[in-house]
Amino acid sequence: MRSTVTLLEVAAAAGVSVATASRALAGKDRVSAATVVRVKAEAQRLGYRVDPIARALREGSTRLIGMVVPVIGNPFYSRLLDAVEQVSHAHGFELLVADSHADPTEEARRLRVLAGRKVDGMLLAPTVSAAARESTVPMPVDVPLVQIDRVVGPAAADFVGVDNALGIGMLVEHLVSCGARTMMYVGADDVNNSGRERWQAFGAHAEIHGVTTPPPVRDGFDVKTGVAGAEAILRMPERPDAVVAGSDLIAFGLISRLREGGVSVPENILVTGFDGTDMAQLFYPTLTTVVQPIEAIAYEAVQFLRSRIDGSDAPWRSNRIAPALRVAGSTTR
Amino acid sequence: MRSTVTLLEVAAAAGVSVATASRALAGKDRVSAATVVRVKAEAQRLGYRVDPIARALREGSTRLIGMVVPVIGNPFYSRLLDAVEQVSHAHGFELLVADSHADPTEEARRLRVLAGRKVDGMLLAPTVSAAARESTVPMPVDVPLVQIDRVVGPAAADFVGVDNALGIGMLVEHLVSCGARTMMYVGADDVNNSGRERWQAFGAHAEIHGVTTPPPVRDGFDVKTGVAGAEAILRMPERPDAVVAGSDLIAFGLISRLREGGVSVPENILVTGFDGTDMAQLFYPTLTTVVQPIEAIAYEAVQFLRSRIDGSDAPWRSNRIAPALRVAGSTTR
DNA sequence: CTGAAAGCGCTAACAA
DNA sequence: TTGTTAGCGCTTTCAG
């Protein structure tokens, strides 16, 4: 069996021209039913598969979606990637993946490479490096693009992400119902919308419930930030009743550092996370958190992208999807 | 600025033919220095970039590498993906990613899709599903392929992975030096080489050190298996001194179940993992484990693949890379 | 309803 | 050293 059988061979086998064969296989042009059957049978028999390269050259469309994430190794992004891969695959797109390694310059370069590869559209989870503190509007290419997970700078594209305010609201409310009267926030700074929105929502909900809030610790979404938060707490004369961490990773770092400092969770202090990672259920104690609707985010993002690929020039849309509260050991006494 | 500037335009601007422009840019054919400069300048000025589609159609090479993993969401694979992405990118390849969702049928299908996309080569981390217990030799395509991480069935391709026997040896030796005299194995079954090799190495090293080994629990590489192992231990009249778990995930499941059962690590029993995930350092207790040389595996795999892409028809090679022992809380009293 | 032919952008024979 | 041209495999006018 020849490794590549061309349309010409199928046409010859079916006794028609390439043009007819093409039409028969495409099925959207007027071709006699009889030839359609014959051509399809021959194609099947010979194991014909269209050459996507030739088709792309001719049609200007690759059926490829590019996705750029800050770091594939981060479980949140890898799960998002997983979900996006499934959805785009279901829509007939293949996924070209690029990792910006949390470097805005590299991110821009990767976007350009993907555009050069003629992807039909791109999904971007923008990076925010500590180095490049200012937000760069990441649109160096004229390919349909939707931002996913978070936004840097003023939105200049469609956006799909979690409803941060709602999630934080759920957590604060839950902690209040657990009897917490003082709550500290340990999370990311204002460089991207997630950090900003979670912090603002925390403030707003704390106020609504009349909760006292010691000064927060705000930096990144990483373990390190959690450790810093724990150290701040260990230095405080009076510990807060609870800590709202801006991410599961922060909570992990926080809890393990508190433990080293002799403060245990949930006995001495309640802690919540944000993201709903698998590890949250394996950690000790299991972590109360808010679960990101990853599948829904992936689904909606691909929908947005498809409509842009199909030529929509509607105003930028922003889609916030509700997360779900998952109560666990870190807030259960 | 036009979004796509073709070679023809560059040639016109430089006052030469497309052929000359192509050669000048490629640089490997005889062209006068003066025209090279002129063409390059014009290309630069116009922002010309070769169209990879056209080039691929002409050359039959896409500079694309496909990679199929059982599940992107698994931290080990996402880190491997990350590493592979970097290495292949450094060699001028873009990465097309596919997730087989641990389904051999889907895996075969994805391999075919990638082959249809005309990738120059493929990296496959074969899946092993509980459903399809028998190993299928995964070579439905005639594209250079190297197996990475593990092998299913008789090797029919180059392979790069960790040196399982060495890793297990390090762990057993370490536990012996901690004073353990009875060790139980909780790991994966024999469906793939990793499960088989780790188990065999455990047996061999236990014998060398004269260690007593109660019956093992063997199933998958997942949390569930660890939980099963813990339950077996909780039922035993006499607990072993230590448990060698076949993966970090198994160890996590095992430790948390033991904790629920009132057995604590490392006080009552020592536990080791395998993989060296980030979580191993965040877990309580921090986990003694063997760190997979992920970067080295990625590097070597891409090297193997490149040599196959370049036409090498040497016999199949198998490259086992040494892991490193990382001692932590789960074996430190 | 079907065929002939153009052409997507590029590279490599082959000529000059 | 440079230009002309064929052709990679496909889709799509334009004729018939």
Side-chain angles (χ1 to χ4, degrees):
Chain A
M1 169 180 134
R2 284 270 306 293
S3 66
T4 47
V5 25
T6 74
L7 189 53
L8 187 63
E9 306 178 68
V10 174
V16 295
S17 71
V18 257
T20 303
S22 173
R23 283 187 282 246
L25 260 16
K28 56 185 179 185
D29 227 334
R30 256 167 287 279
V31 187
S32 88
T35 35
V36 169
V37 171
R38 197 148 31 88
V39 170
K40 284 197 169 163
E42 287 303 322
Q44 172 89 44
R45 191 174 65 77
L46 298 172
Y48 170 77
R49 321 210 46 143
V50 293
D51 180 339
I53 310 289
R55 171 181 283 180
L57 181 60
R58 178 63 227 237
E59 303 216 294
S61 156
T62 53
R63 309 280 313 160
L64 236 38
I65 286 181
M67 179 158 179
V68 180
V69 297
V71 29
I72 300 179
N74 176 319
F76 173 74
Y77 290 112
S78 60
R79 288 186 51 208
L80 187 58
L81 211 56
D82 189 349
V84 165
E85 200 260 354
Q86 284 191 63
V87 178
S88 44
H89 183 214
H91 289 292
F93 289 91
E94 227 57 40
L95 200 61
L96 216 42
V97 177
D99 188 323
S100 66
H101 297 105
D103 173 0
T105 311
E106 181 61 15
E107 176 178 280
R109 187 177 309 143
R110 306 300 283 130
L111 287 173
R112 265 193 300 269
V113 169
L114 291 180
R117 282 279 179 182
K118 297 277 159 58
V119 296
D120 288 350
M122 302 202 283
L123 257 20
L124 169 66
T127 195
V128 174
S129 78
R133 230 43 191 166
E134 64 198 56
S135 40
T136 46
V137 183
M139 290 287 312
V141 287
D142 58 354
V143 167
L145 181 149
V146 353
Q147 296 205 29
I148 191 166
D149 177 49
R150 56 195 189 186
V151 180
V152 179
D158 289 326
F159 168 71
V160 181
V162 68
D163 190 329
N164 289 301
L166 181 58
I168 292 291
M170 289 168 159
L171 292 168
V172 171
E173 198 155 313
H174 167 68
L175 288 171
V176 166
S177 80
C178 293
R181 304 303 306 149
T182 55
M183 284 181 208
M184 176 169 164
Y185 182 79
V186 177
D189 56 25
D190 285 336
V191 181
N192 68 43
N193 69 310
S194 287
R196 191 171 52 248
E197 290 167 9
R198 290 178 197 176
W199 162 243
Q200 287 175 352
F202 174 78
H205 286 276
E207 195 170 330
I208 290 171
H209 292 283
V211 165
T212 307
T213 58
V217 168
R218 300 187 64 204
D219 186 10
F221 282 107
D222 45 15
V223 172
K224 185 168 59 67
T225 302
V227 171
E231 284 166 355
I233 291 170
L234 293 172
R235 277 194 304 270
M236 290 165 68
E238 208 150 334
R239 279 196 304 269
D241 299 333
V243 181
V244 171
S247 76
D248 285 359
L249 273 183
I250 294 174
F252 295 153
L254 186 104
I255 294 174
S256 44
R257 184 65 187 87
L258 283 179
R259 183 185 291 126
E260 285 174 23
V263 175
S264 61
V265 178
E267 290 77 10
N268 306 327
I269 190 169
L270 304 177
V271 176
T272 62
F274 199 113
D275 279 347
T277 54
D278 291 342
M279 270 315 299
Q281 301 181 78
L282 238 34
F283 202 76
Y284 179 71
T286 52
L287 186 67
T288 291
T289 184
V290 126
V291 185
Q292 290 249 20
I294 290 190
E295 284 72 22
I297 292 175
Y299 183 80
E300 294 296 331
V302 173
Q303 291 299 349
F304 272 17
L305 189 54
R306 291 211 322 143
S307 83
R308 293 294 173 192
I309 290 173
D310 291 346
S312 157
D313 60 348
W316 303 130
R317 288 165 297 179
S318 182
N319 191 345
R320 312 256 167 193
I321 302 175
L325 180 67
R326 191 168 71 199
V327 175
S330 68
T331 59
T332 315
R333 289 202 173 107
Chain B
M1 168 178 134
R2 283 271 306 294
S3 65
T4 48
V5 25
T6 75
L7 190 54
L8 186 63
E9 305 177 68
V10 174
V16 296
S17 73
V18 257
T20 302
S22 174
R23 284 187 282 245
L25 260 17
K28 57 184 179 185
D29 229 334
R30 257 167 287 279
V31 188
S32 87
T35 38
V36 169
V37 172
R38 196 147 33 89
V39 170
K40 284 199 170 161
E42 286 305 320
Q44 171 89 44
R45 192 174 64 78
L46 298 173
Y48 169 77
R49 320 209 48 142
V50 293
D51 180 338
I53 310 290
R55 170 180 283 179
L57 181 60
R58 179 60 227 236
E59 304 219 291
S61 156
T62 52
R63 307 281 310 160
L64 238 38
I65 286 180
M67 178 158 178
V68 179
V69 297
V71 29
I72 300 179
N74 177 319
F76 174 74
Y77 290 111
S78 61
R79 288 186 51 207
L80 187 59
L81 211 56
D82 189 348
V84 166
E85 200 261 354
Q86 285 191 60
V87 178
S88 45
H89 182 215
H91 289 292
F93 289 91
E94 227 58 40
L95 200 63
L96 216 42
V97 177
D99 189 323
S100 65
H101 297 106
D103 173 2
T105 310
E106 181 62 14
E107 176 179 281
R109 187 177 305 142
R110 306 300 283 132
L111 285 173
R112 265 193 300 270
V113 169
L114 291 180
R117 281 280 180 183
K118 298 278 160 58
V119 296
D120 288 350
M122 304 202 283
L123 258 20
L124 168 66
T127 195
V128 175
S129 80
R133 230 43 190 168
E134 65 198 55
S135 40
T136 47
V137 183
M139 290 287 315
V141 288
D142 59 353
V143 167
L145 180 151
V146 353
Q147 296 206 27
I148 191 167
D149 176 48
R150 56 195 189 187
V151 180
V152 179
D158 289 326
F159 168 70
V160 181
V162 69
D163 189 330
N164 290 302
L166 182 57
I168 292 291
M170 288 168 159
L171 292 167
V172 171
E173 197 155 317
H174 167 68
L175 287 171
V176 166
S177 79
C178 292
R181 304 302 307 149
T182 56
M183 286 181 208
M184 176 170 164
Y185 182 79
V186 178
D189 57 24
D190 285 335
V191 181
N192 66 43
N193 68 310
S194 287
R196 190 170 52 247
E197 291 167 7
R198 290 178 197 176
W199 162 242
Q200 286 176 352
F202 173 78
H205 286 276
E207 194 170 331
I208 290 172
H209 292 283
V211 165
T212 308
T213 57
V217 168
R218 301 187 64 200
D219 186 10
F221 283 106
D222 47 14
V223 172
K224 185 167 59 63
T225 301
V227 171
E231 284 167 355
I233 291 171
L234 292 171
R235 278 194 304 271
M236 289 165 68
E238 208 150 332
R239 279 196 303 270
D241 299 333
V243 181
V244 171
S247 75
D248 284 0
L249 273 182
I250 293 174
F252 296 153
L254 185 103
I255 294 174
S256 45
R257 184 65 187 86
L258 283 179
R259 184 185 288 126
E260 285 174 25
V263 175
S264 61
V265 178
E267 290 78 7
N268 306 328
I269 190 169
L270 305 177
V271 176
T272 62
F274 199 114
D275 279 347
T277 54
D278 291 342
M279 270 316 297
Q281 301 182 78
L282 240 33
F283 202 76
Y284 179 72
T286 52
L287 186 67
T288 291
T289 185
V290 127
V291 185
Q292 290 248 19
I294 291 190
E295 283 73 22
I297 291 175
Y299 182 82
E300 295 298 330
V302 173
Q303 290 300 349
F304 272 17
L305 190 53
R306 291 213 318 144
S307 83
R308 291 294 173 194
I309 290 174
D310 292 347
S312 157
D313 60 349
W316 302 131
R317 287 165 297 179
S318 182
N319 191 346
R320 312 255 167 195
I321 302 176
L325 180 67
R326 191 169 71 198
V327 175
S330 68
T331 59
T332 315
R333 289 204 172 107

